[in-house]
């Protein structure tokens, strides 16, 4: 079996460097993948593992259907989840009744 694609170690090094810059999510845009293979899946898994070792969330976006299916097939569908997005805080309007006890 062959080792990883020659670019994967340098990509992992870039992910490690980005993780050291601060706590943020790493998002990998895979929209340019035209013919996904197991080598593609291996590269994404290695990148995700590198980010996870630093405690940084890693997701893949822009996945073509073939890559999405391949990731689900090998059990890496969780990489496709979007980073958690929180709703902006809503304004709360409260009325105070004159006879309400203080909190």
């Amino acid at each position: 079996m062959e080792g990883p694609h020659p670019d994967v170690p340098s990509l992992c090094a870039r992910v490690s460097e980005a993780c050291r810059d601060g706590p943020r999510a790493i998002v990998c845009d895979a929209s340019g993948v035209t013919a996904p293979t197991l080598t593609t899946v291996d590269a994404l898994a290695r990148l995700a593992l590198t980010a996870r070792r630093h405690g940084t969330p890693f997701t893949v976006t822009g996945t073509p259907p073939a890559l999405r299916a391949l990731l689900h097939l090998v059990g890496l569908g969780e990489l496709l989840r979007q980073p958690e997005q929180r709703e902006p805080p809503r304004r709360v309007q409260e009325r105070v009744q004159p006879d309400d006890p203080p909190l």
Side-chain angles (χ1 to χ4, degrees):
M1 183 171 153
E2 283 186 40
H5 190 275
D7 290 340
V8 174
S10 64
L11 290 173
C12 287
R14 287 177 59 190
V15 167
S16 288
E17 186 176 316
C19 291
R20 283 194 269 288
D21 289 343
R24 62 175 184 212
I26 302 289
V27 179
C28 177
D29 180 11
S31 60
V33 177
T34 56
T37 63
L38 288 178
T39 302
T40 308
V41 171
D42 178 62
L44 290 172
R46 289 173 186 269
L47 294 173
L49 182 60
T50 300
R52 183 175 291 162
R53 286 180 179 156
H54 290 280
T56 302
F58 180 90
T59 56
V60 181
T61 62
T63 53
L67 178 56
R68 193 175 310 119
L70 200 51
L71 288 170
H72 282 291
L73 181 68
V74 298
L76 293 174
E78 75 271 2
L79 296 181
L80 301 172
R81 291 192 189 129
Q82 295 299 319
E84 186 176 315
Q85 296 178 352
R86 298 182 183 221
E87 290 184 20
R90 297 181 185 180
R91 294 186 179 259
V92 177
Q93 296 180 2
E94 294 183 21
R95 290 188 181 171
V96 178
Q97 299 297 328
D99 56 342
D100 281 347
L103 298 177

